[in-house]
Amino acid sequence: MNKYASILLLLPVICAAFSCMGYHYAFHVGVPVSCSLIVGLFHDRGIGRTLWFIVLSFLVSIGGDWMLRTRGVDGMRFIYGIGLYFISHVCYLIFCLKNGKINRLFLSLLLVVYLPFFVWCLMPAIPDRLLLVSVFFYLIISCVSLAAAFGLRLSNVSRYLFTVGIGCLVFSDTLIAFKEFLHIGSHYYLMFPAFYASQILITAALIRAK
């Protein structure tokens, strides 16, 4: 990994730390923005044409987060936020498919876990049909993008970092589902650290890719 890129990775790490400590919202936004800049400056040339899907995913996530934060103004913003994060996952998926393929076995294992979770836990807890459909399709795209990350044709280290990064995002979303729909928030404090770790690990994977 380029030593300058490694040093710059401290920037999103510092932003994430300050955001988790409750400092200004700018530190929260600083994580995806700084990760986007690092990816753009220190990417591997072999995947240069597809990395912009990752940059787009980072930037779209800012809009998704804003919608979720301001959902008190308009209840539909929660659904808009899910839609923007859906687009973010689609960008991850496109990148993975252009640099690998979906690992079908891993996808099957994910669906074995998450489909029963949706049917038995989330369906009874979400009376709004539009929200329920949105959550279902978001759950599916999350599983597919994670399975695609597992099938990346990058170096072992990069593939591992990228897969763990997407896994952190799925874990973060799962914590949100527990809190918002099942009213279980005992581990919700891990949500933002997992979300930040996702973008930082993905960035590290891309600048490490060979």
Side-chain angles (χ1 to χ4, degrees), residues 45-116:
R45 295 180 184 275
I47 57 174
R49 293 182 179 180
T50 57
L51 70 87
W52 300 111
F53 288 105
I54 303 299
V55 173
L56 179 60
S57 179
F58 288 164
L59 298 181
V60 168
S61 72
I62 297 174
D65 175 75
W66 179 253
M67 288 296 174
L68 295 182
R69 283 174 176 263
T70 60
R71 64 185 182 275
V73 177
D74 179 2
M76 282 297 294
R77 291 194 178 187
F78 193 88
I79 295 176
Y80 297 153
I82 293 175
L84 287 171
Y85 275 114
F86 182 94
I87 295 172
S88 180
H89 268 290
V90 168
C91 292
Y92 286 138
L93 177 59
I94 293 173
F95 171 83
C96 292
L97 292 180
K98 287 183 175 294
N99 296 281
K101 62 180 181 180
I102 296 174
N103 186 301
R104 295 183 181 182
L105 175 59
F106 192 48
L107 176 59
S108 299
L109 293 174
L110 289 171
L111 293 176
V112 164
V113 174
Y114 275 95
L115 285 180

Side-chain angles (χ1 to χ4, degrees), residues 3-4 110 114 126 130 132 142 190 199:
K3 64 178 181 179
Y4 299 110
L110 289 171
Y114 275 95
I126 305 176
L130 179 58
L132 183 65
S142 299
L190 295 173
Q199 296 182 332

Side-chain angles (χ1 to χ4, degrees), residues 169-207:
L169 179 57
V170 173
F171 175 68
S172 173
D173 293 335
T174 303
L175 291 177
I176 293 176
F178 269 99
K179 183 176 186 297
E180 293 292 334
F181 305 129
L182 305 180
H183 308 293
I184 301 174
S186 55
H187 294 89
Y188 190 71
Y189 65 93
L190 295 173
M191 190 275 291
F192 277 120
F195 175 73
Y196 298 139
S198 169
Q199 296 182 332
I200 293 169
L201 288 170
I202 290 170
T203 300
L206 294 178
I207 62 178

